[in-house]
Amino acid sequence: MPAPSPVSYAHDTADLASAYDTGSDFQFEHGKQLVAELRLRPGERVLDVGAGTGRLSLHLAEWVGEAGEVLAVEPLADRVALARARAGDGEQVRVIQAWAENLTEIPDDHVDAVVMNSVLHWIADQPAALAEARRVLKPGGQLAVNSADPDRPHEFVALLSGALARQGVEDQAGLVPPHRISEERLQQLLDQAGFERIRISPVRFHDRFVDLEHLLRWNQSSYFGNFLPHLDLEGPLQQPLRDALAAHTDEQGIQLKRHLVFGWARKPGPAPGSR
């Protein structure tokens, strides 16, 4: 059995959900690159797992058109509310409050594609989440998934970790998502879940932050309030953190590398139409 997740979703608030909604450009761009490989077609039905406030869900809706449908699954109530407001009253995007490991509202063999953008590294029971994704996919349906990579941490992780260590801070719980996945582990998980035609690729992005406050706010909102929650990052630690980022800072702000593992796979069976 997987170890229990140290993440407390009780830390999430309406304020953090709103901050994520307005500041999630990085994750949105990662998601757009992830789903582009699916080459979705008009009329298809797509499941967006861990949809957050629904930005990527609406992008998926553009791919499948008015004849298609997007099911946006998100467990956290404040983010569900924002996703539903973004989706509006139409029927093209339907927002469901549910967990990735338990998609009971969605029938077997129901969707053409499942997207999990920066979600799996928060899930303790990853085999259960992937089993649910496989169950709801039609035979031949596609999965697109990505994760933070433990073998290549985001650049800010090493910088902030070093700065905190130099200040004598040994407890750095919450600095990274708790269930990051390497290329090898993602290949293994997808294979064990019964997927085929698996493709794994490391991807590097360059993120730009206005300043330290922007970086910290983004991480707090995207980590649901679990980013170093036990530390006062607005007190004496501010200057050491600024010093650690100085070499990556110019007049345009802070630029840092972000590393992800991307994966694509199919459920066995004939594809629902030629691609």
Side-chain angles (χ1 to χ4, degrees):
M1 293 293 291
S5 175
V7 175
S8 171
Y9 294 103
H11 291 314
D12 198 40
T13 64
D15 182 54
L16 285 174
S18 179
Y20 175 81
D21 189 51
T22 57
S24 58
D25 291 354
F26 312 123
Q27 208 146 285
F28 182 46
E29 291 302 319
H30 305 164
K32 289 198 293 184
Q33 182 166 327
L34 178 70
V35 304
E37 293 291 319
L38 297 176
R39 299 184 181 180
L40 297 168
R41 299 178 302 175
E44 291 191 315
R45 180 182 291 125
V46 184
L47 173 62
D48 183 9
V49 177
T53 61
R55 290 186 68 183
L56 188 61
S57 300
L58 262 66
H59 177 71
L60 291 166
E62 294 175 2
W63 274 95
V64 301
E66 292 183 3
E69 183 184 18
V70 177
L71 304 176
V73 167
E74 167 60 37
L76 302 183
D78 291 313
R79 302 185 188 225
V80 166
L82 290 173
R84 286 176 174 160
R86 171 170 276 121
D89 297 329
E91 297 182 358
Q92 189 186 18
V93 178
R94 181 160 65 96
V95 182
I96 302 168
Q97 187 169 3
W99 299 90
E101 307 93 317
N102 187 13
L103 303 173
T104 53
E105 288 193 40
I106 303 174
D108 295 356
D109 305 331
H110 188 63
V111 301
D112 298 282
V114 173
V115 175
M116 304 178 74
N117 180 41
S118 291
V119 172
L120 209 55
H121 50 228
W122 294 108
I123 299 174
D125 197 344
Q126 293 165 343
L130 291 173
E132 279 289 82
R134 186 184 186 279
R135 177 185 65 79
V136 302
L137 277 169
K138 297 176 183 177
Q142 301 183 90
L143 171 71
V145 59
N146 59 21
S147 169
D149 185 351
D151 296 335
R152 300 181 310 143
H154 300 333
E155 194 167 27
F156 81 82
V157 172
L159 294 170
L160 268 59
S161 177
L164 293 172
R166 288 190 290 275
Q167 298 302 307
V169 178
E170 296 183 3
D171 181 2
Q172 299 183 18
L175 182 61
V176 296
H179 307 292
R180 296 173 295 163
I181 306 172
S182 66
E183 295 175 56
E184 293 76 14
R185 179 57 178 160
L186 183 56
Q187 175 77 40
Q188 181 185 48
L189 284 167
L190 293 174
D191 185 61
Q192 290 175 346
F195 287 96
E196 62 182 20
R197 297 174 63 179
I198 299 168
R199 294 183 294 125
I200 308 292
S201 177
V203 182
R204 184 178 69 185
F205 297 90
H206 288 87
D207 296 339
R208 184 168 286 281
F209 300 90
V210 175
D211 51 26
L212 175 62
E213 288 75 14
H214 181 200
L215 186 154
L216 295 177
R217 186 63 170 166
W218 158 246
N219 281 291
Q220 279 284 35
S221 65
S222 65
Y223 283 35
F224 333 109
N226 288 275
F227 182 73
L228 300 170
H230 58 297
L231 297 180
D232 177 10
L233 298 176
E234 298 181 2
L237 289 174
Q238 280 260 325
Q239 192 57 50
L241 296 181
R242 292 183 194 280
D243 293 343
L245 296 167
H248 301 267
T249 304
D250 57 27
E251 63 277 3
Q252 295 181 310
I254 303 167
Q255 180 169 290
L256 298 168
K257 298 183 185 71
R258 179 179 296 265
H259 300 282
L260 297 173
V261 175
F262 277 38
W264 300 271
R266 286 185 182 269
K267 180 176 178 175
S274 59
R275 293 183 180 275

